[in-house]
């Protein structure tokens, strides 16, 4: 009777561990998705707000600021790098945690270790399969970003004409707003 209860106890721990790991994975994915969505929403808002301000600013101020300064502020390279660093830290943290969990599981049960190893390999293969799709999406996002910058250049280069022609100003601003939304969704 003791052997049966001992096996029952080990199975219960295995189930609790699997549940905890699944909960951790779901929470990590949710946090990553939500933080990326919030970040892209802010960037999209900044793009639209800056585009609106550019179309309304007087020409002398626009010439004094310069296109490169506008592009630099718009892209906010340091913010993107900062976010990439956070993701890298989270990834390293996850790998270290998985390593020690694997060691602990191997000590407890060789069968559970090999089962988790199979699941890990399956997860890596799934990631690699989706990696190409992600790269294609990033290429689309880059094309949309270039279209956004081209539109912004049109806005800057045609500032005089746009200030004189409300219809063109509105059309270009609507186009920029649309591109910014598409770019946000792609990213």
């Amino acid at each position: 009777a003791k052997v049966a209860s001992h096996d029952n106890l080990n199975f219960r721990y295995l189930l609790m561990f699997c549940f905890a790991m699944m909960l951790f994975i779901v929470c990590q994915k949710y946090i990553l998705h939500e933080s990326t969505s919030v970040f892209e929403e802010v960037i999209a808002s900044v793009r639209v707000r800056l585009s609106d301000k550019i179309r309304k600013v007087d020409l002398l101020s626009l010439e004094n600021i310069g296109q490169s300064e506008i592009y630099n502020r718009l892209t906010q390279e340091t913010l993107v790098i900062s976010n990439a660093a956070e993701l890298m830290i989270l990834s390293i943290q996850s790998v270290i945690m998985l390593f020690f969990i694997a060691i602990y599981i191997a000590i407890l049960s060789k069968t559970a270790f090999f089962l988790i190893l199979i699941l890990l390999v399956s997860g890596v293969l799934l990631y690699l399969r989706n990696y190409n799709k992600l790269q294609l999406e990033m290429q689309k996002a880059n094309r949309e970003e270039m279209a956004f910058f081209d539109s912004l250049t049109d806005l800057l280069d045609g500032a005089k004409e746009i200030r004189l022609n409300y219809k063109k100003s509105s059309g270009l601003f609507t186009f920029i707003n649309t591109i910014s939304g598409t770019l946000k969704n792609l990213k």
Side-chain angles (χ1 to χ4, degrees):
K2 282 188 173 186
V3 175
S5 66
H6 182 68
D7 287 342
N8 219 5
L9 185 63
N10 284 340
F11 184 72
R12 190 179 81 188
Y13 285 141
L14 175 65
L15 286 178
M16 286 172 31
F17 172 76
C18 289
F19 175 76
M21 283 303 295
M22 292 300 289
L23 183 63
F24 174 77
I25 291 169
V26 168
C27 289
Q28 285 285 70
K29 186 176 179 180
Y30 175 77
I31 289 168
L32 178 61
H33 181 268
E34 289 303 313
S35 63
T36 303
S37 295
V38 167
F39 175 74
E40 288 303 323
E41 186 70 39
V42 168
I43 292 298
S45 174
V46 167
R47 285 182 183 135
V48 171
R49 194 171 63 238
L50 183 59
S51 299
D52 190 37
K53 286 182 179 183
I54 289 171
R55 75 181 181 136
K56 293 177 181 175
V57 73
D58 64 291
L59 296 178
L60 183 60
S61 298
L62 191 60
E63 289 174 2
N64 287 338
I65 294 171
Q67 289 182 2
S68 61
E69 180 70 21
I70 292 171
Y71 288 142
N72 187 32
R73 288 183 186 208
L74 187 64
T75 56
Q76 300 178 16
E77 292 176 13
T78 55
L79 187 57
V80 171
I81 291 170
S82 171
N83 284 335
E86 283 182 46
L87 287 176
M88 210 178 212
I89 289 169
L90 284 174
S91 297
I92 291 169
Q93 182 184 34
S94 296
V95 167
I96 291 169
M97 186 170 64
L98 281 174
F99 175 74
F100 284 109
I101 288 172
I103 290 173
Y104 179 70
I105 290 173
I107 292 169
L108 292 178
S109 167
K110 302 291 184 223
T111 306
F113 172 76
F114 286 114
L115 178 63
I116 289 179
L117 188 62
I118 290 169
L119 289 173
L120 266 169
V121 169
S122 300
V124 168
L125 292 175
L126 182 64
Y127 170 80
L128 291 175
R129 190 188 78 182
N130 290 329
Y131 180 76
N132 291 332
K133 182 181 175 186
L134 178 64
Q135 289 301 318
L136 290 174
E137 291 297 317
M138 290 305 292
Q139 288 173 357
K140 286 180 191 175
N142 287 339
R143 283 193 297 271
E144 287 296 320
E145 197 163 46
M146 292 301 284
F148 173 76
F149 285 132
D150 288 343
S151 299
L152 192 58
T153 300
D154 293 343
L155 180 64
L156 293 170
D157 291 343
K160 291 177 186 175
E161 184 179 343
I162 287 172
R163 295 194 55 60
L164 296 174
N165 188 332
Y166 178 77
K167 187 177 179 182
K168 284 185 181 181
S169 174
S170 266
L172 184 58
F173 182 68
T174 301
F175 181 70
I176 289 171
N177 196 7
T178 302
I179 288 176
S180 183
T182 302
L183 186 58
K184 175 192 74 164
N185 291 336
L186 281 171
K187 284 193 173 188

